[in-house]
Structure formats: C-alpha cells, structure tokens
Amino acid sequence: MAELQSLQDLKAANVAPEAPVHVQKLDAQGRAYATGKRKDAVARVWVTRGAGRILVNGKDFTEYFARPVLQMIVQQPIISANRTGQYDIRATVAGGGLSGQAGALRHGVSRALTFYEPELRAILKKEGFLTRDSRVVERKKYGKKKARRSFQFSKR
C-alpha cells in the first residue's frame, strides 16, 4: 500500500473494512449444526426443514422441559424469527441443570437457524439470542462459608 502524505490521500484511498458475508452452512444430510452453551450446560443442535418437532435427548421437548417457562425459553428464537412449524430440531444436552440446559438449547437453536438461514441473523442478534450468556457460578473461597458469605461474627 502506498504511503499516505495528507488527509486528501486518506480520503482517496477510502480504506473501509467490508462487512462479513454470512453464507449457509449445511452438512451432507442438509442439516445445520451448532453448539450452544450456558453455565455448565452444552447443547448440540441440528436443524432441518420439517413440521416443527423439537426432540431433546430423544424425548419431546415438552416432556424433557416440564416447566412452561423453560419451554418458552427454548421456543423464543423460532417465534421471534417467525418460523414456527417450519423446522425440525434435534438436540442433545448435557451438564448443568434444567435452566442452564434450556438456555444452552436456545443459544444453539439460534446459531443453527443463522447457519440455515443467514438472513435471520439480524433479527436473532437484535433479540440477544446469539450472545453466549457468560455468567457462571463463582468459586468458593477459603475462609468463607460460600463464595462471599462469611461465618457469623460474634464479639464474645
């Protein structure tokens, strides 16, 4: 690249970075694969065209996540992208508790949908579904009862 001597040379060079182009990423079976994480839970998610069934560890997601709040969390990316009943989702989740697994599944479904349909990325990113929630449990410190809780103080 030629050396710039003045501000006019900089304007003429017009060195603006181009936005990354997102393309569809499918495997040999026509599935989009993504990994989602939350707390200690990890979800491996495969998305294909279908009738809208969601299988988690071989079970229907309403059976696996019995609480309605967790079912709502899992469905959020599909509903916000307005793709209800268009994709079949197969997932395996491991680690953590049910709440962390639901969050991991939501993250994985969002990422897999963007790999299947790159134009959904703006919608899902605006809703915050593509961001990995990095909050984890704080470790216990020595001399403390828990991470921050001290033992009860007594003057006498």
Side-chain angles (χ1 to χ4, degrees):
M1 185 173 168
E3 198 168 318
L4 302 174
Q5 299 294 330
S6 67
L7 289 175
Q8 276 69 29
D9 293 346
L10 182 64
K11 284 182 183 175
N14 197 9
V15 240
E18 292 183 25
V21 178
H22 297 283
V23 292
Q24 189 180 44
K25 296 178 190 164
L26 301 178
D27 62 6
Q29 288 83 25
R31 304 175 299 188
Y33 169 78
T35 307
K37 294 181 181 181
R38 168 84 166 93
K39 293 187 181 181
D40 276 340
V42 178
R44 300 185 308 156
V45 181
W46 290 269
V47 171
T48 54
R49 286 264 181 220
R53 289 181 303 146
I54 303 174
L55 290 177
V56 181
N57 291 351
K59 297 179 182 177
D60 187 58
F61 86 107
T62 55
E63 188 182 333
Y64 191 85
F65 297 111
R67 283 185 280 168
V69 172
L70 299 179
Q71 295 173 15
M72 180 201 69
I73 288 171
V74 170
Q75 290 178 313
Q76 277 179 333
I78 303 161
I79 292 168
S80 68
N82 204 15
R83 297 292 187 269
T84 311
Q86 294 181 22
Y87 291 107
D88 281 344
I89 296 166
R90 205 181 97 241
T92 58
V93 289
L98 284 177
S99 177
Q101 288 182 351
L105 187 56
R106 179 178 83 171
H107 185 226
V109 166
S110 303
R111 290 185 63 198
L113 280 175
T114 59
F115 291 152
Y116 206 98
E117 270 190 78
E119 54 274 5
L120 293 178
R121 184 174 170 81
I123 299 162
L124 296 173
K125 189 155 179 71
K126 189 176 145 235
E127 295 286 332
F129 299 143
L130 296 177
T131 306
R132 193 250 200 247
D133 192 351
S134 60
R135 296 176 296 167
V136 291
V137 178
E138 190 176 345
R139 78 173 188 87
K140 183 196 174 299
K141 279 69 167 196
Y142 63 88
K144 299 273 189 182
K145 208 167 188 173
K146 293 167 57 178
R148 297 184 182 202
R149 171 88 166 100
S150 296
F151 292 98
Q152 184 172 348
F153 174 75
S154 173
K155 202 168 198 176
R156 289 176 188 64

